[in-house]
Amino acid sequence: MPIAIIGAVLLVVSASAVAFGILPVQDVLAIADRVWPIMLFVVAITIVAELAAAAGVFDVASAFLARVARRRVLLLWLLIVGLAVVSTAFLSLDTTAVLFTPVVVAVARAHRLDPLPFAFTTVWLANTASLVLPVSNLTNLLAVESLDVGVGSFVALMGPSALVAIVVSVAILWIVFHRRLRGRFAPAADPVIGDRLLSWIAGAVVVVLLPLLVSGVPPWMPALGAAVLLILVFAWRFPRALRPALVPWQLLVFVSGLFLAVGAVEAIGGRTVLASLSGSGDHLFALWRLAGIGMLGANGVNNLPAYLALEGVADSPARLGALLVGVNAGPLITPWASLATVLWHSRLTAVGVTVAWKRFMLLGLVAAPLAVAASVVPIAFR
């Protein structure tokens, strides 16, 4: 079912809750006041990523990595790992899943390599590397707003856990695919860029944007500025690329409905039930418990509703960090655990790469618990 339809249903349910007095109007206004900067950032960064991809920025970057790898498959894969981490950290997990995935598949095919290890790399790192920065994941932005902290404090809390999650996922990927990552690859022609000036401008905008996203100013501000600048440049050089589909309408409807629906559930006592399940305390086993519930909720329903439902019982920085580990690094098992995974699979299908969900889930059953359990440890002993 398209996420827009799910979001529309949630909006109708939420409107009914407001009409019957279950969800007070002042709570709706409070939710809107909290989420508008986050939603504005999501729209702006999506437009930036889409236009950068249309200008060939990701193609140029991947071709550069292939040259740097000097025909060594393992080195190319490690460079793709690095670029996937950077893409996820600064441009969000959905960018990596949607825009970077077809690029790495094209690079693998151009050099006559099996695309499967590269495809798994993008989706796993889209999730595990989304712990790096506040802008990496919508859940992080919500957590930062809840904690009322800056980028530095968030990185101090989540940085070690992000590193552990990335290392664990990369190590498992290497164990699984190491036979396909041996040897050397054949050289391939550079990608064809239709408008080099447009590509250079878009690349420069992205390069300037990345440090601004961690400069301490509200992320929506530099993202919106970059989006407006790219829209103006594209209106000059390639106006056909400017279309309504650049705005993630389905995601906006889905997330809006989700926020209101979770607010309604909390209004009828849902938080009390979750509090009894998640326990309390900041010691290791308590944090493992909360992260585990977050991981189960993400794989059972989806990571965003899992976070929203459990945020109220994560009543300390350590517990909120553990929850983020569960809902960010944990959605590696079921196809619907994160929107990034759903989008990743649809992009692979569009470019003719088949990934069996059975294999995806079996590998995730190994990777997700290990990544989550290991990543909680730095939070407990920080």
Side-chain angles (χ1 to χ4, degrees), residues 332-372:
L332 301 178
I333 302 173
T334 59
W336 54 82
S338 76
L339 179 62
T341 302
V342 176
L343 298 172
W344 167 81
H345 191 266
S346 68
R347 287 302 173 101
L348 285 183
T349 301
V351 297
V353 176
T354 302
V355 176
W357 282 124
K358 180 179 179 180
R359 183 181 190 186
F360 179 90
M361 295 174 71
L362 288 174
L363 289 176
L365 282 169
V366 175
L370 288 176
V372 169

Side-chain angles (χ1 to χ4, degrees), residues 24-86:
V25 174
Q26 57 265 32
D27 287 0
V28 175
L29 295 176
I31 292 171
D33 184 62
R34 180 188 182 191
V35 304
W36 75 260
I38 296 170
M39 301 301 289
L40 184 56
F41 168 78
V42 169
V43 172
I45 203 67
T46 300
I47 292 173
V48 169
E50 290 277 2
L51 293 180
V57 172
F58 291 115
D59 297 286
V60 171
S62 297
F64 173 75
L65 296 185
R67 290 196 299 272
V68 173
R70 296 182 180 275
R71 304 186 187 183
R72 287 169 287 185
V73 179
L74 179 59
L75 182 53
L76 175 62
W77 178 67
L78 290 174
L79 291 170
I80 293 294
V81 166
L83 189 55
V85 170
V86 172

Side-chain angles (χ1 to χ4, degrees), residues 206-224:
V206 171
V207 169
V208 172
L209 173 63
L210 299 189
L212 291 177
L213 291 175
V214 294
S215 64
V217 301
W220 67 266
M221 292 183 179
L224 180 61

Side-chain angles (χ1 to χ4, degrees), residues 102-353:
V103 172
V104 299
V105 168
V107 169
R109 284 174 166 169
H111 296 90
R112 301 174 187 176
L113 300 173
D114 183 354
L116 208 55
F118 299 90
F120 266 90
T121 298
T122 58
V123 72
W124 276 22
L125 288 175
N127 287 287
T128 57
S130 71
L131 289 167
V132 175
L133 294 172
V135 296
S136 307
N137 199 325
L138 181 56
T139 55
N140 299 351
L141 291 170
L142 293 167
V144 166
E145 193 273 341
S146 177
L147 290 170
D148 193 23
V149 298
V151 176
S153 297
F154 180 88
V155 173
L157 174 65
M158 300 305 303
S161 295
L163 179 61
V164 170
I166 292 168
V167 169
V168 169
S169 55
V170 170
I172 295 173
L173 286 168
W174 183 82
I175 292 171
V176 173
F177 294 111
H178 69 277
R179 289 189 178 88
R180 308 186 197 188
L181 299 173
R182 294 174 177 173
R184 302 174 75 83
F185 58 82
D190 287 339
V192 177
I193 304 299
D195 188 332
R196 291 194 173 275
L197 177 59
L198 180 62
S199 180
W200 277 106
I201 294 175
V205 169
V206 171
V207 169
V208 172
L209 173 63
L210 299 189
L212 291 177
L213 291 175
V214 294
S215 64
V217 301
W220 67 266
M221 292 183 179
L224 180 61
V228 171
L229 180 57
L230 283 180
I231 289 171
L232 293 175
V233 172
F234 268 78
W236 167 44
R237 304 290 298 187
F238 187 23
R240 286 182 298 170
L242 301 177
R243 59 195 191 283
L246 289 173
V247 178
W249 302 109
Q250 294 189 38
L251 180 60
L252 292 177
V253 173
F254 173 71
V255 173
S256 299
L258 199 56
F259 274 113
L260 293 173
V262 171
V265 171
E266 288 186 348
I268 60 175
R271 182 176 296 184
T272 303
V273 176
L274 292 172
S276 65
L277 292 174
S278 59
S280 61
D282 289 356
H283 57 86
L284 179 59
F285 289 98
L287 297 182
W288 270 341
R289 178 178 178 178
L290 179 56
I293 291 175
M295 180 182 69
L296 291 174
N299 286 287
V301 184
N302 181 266
N303 66 331
L304 184 55
Y307 173 83
L308 291 172
L310 291 164
E311 183 189 51
V313 300
D315 52 4
S316 71
R319 287 180 63 79
L320 196 59
L323 174 58
L324 286 177
V325 168
V327 300
N328 286 15
L332 301 178
I333 302 173
T334 59
W336 54 82
S338 76
L339 179 62
T341 302
V342 176
L343 298 172
W344 167 81
H345 191 266
S346 68
R347 287 302 173 101
L348 285 183
T349 301
V351 297
V353 176

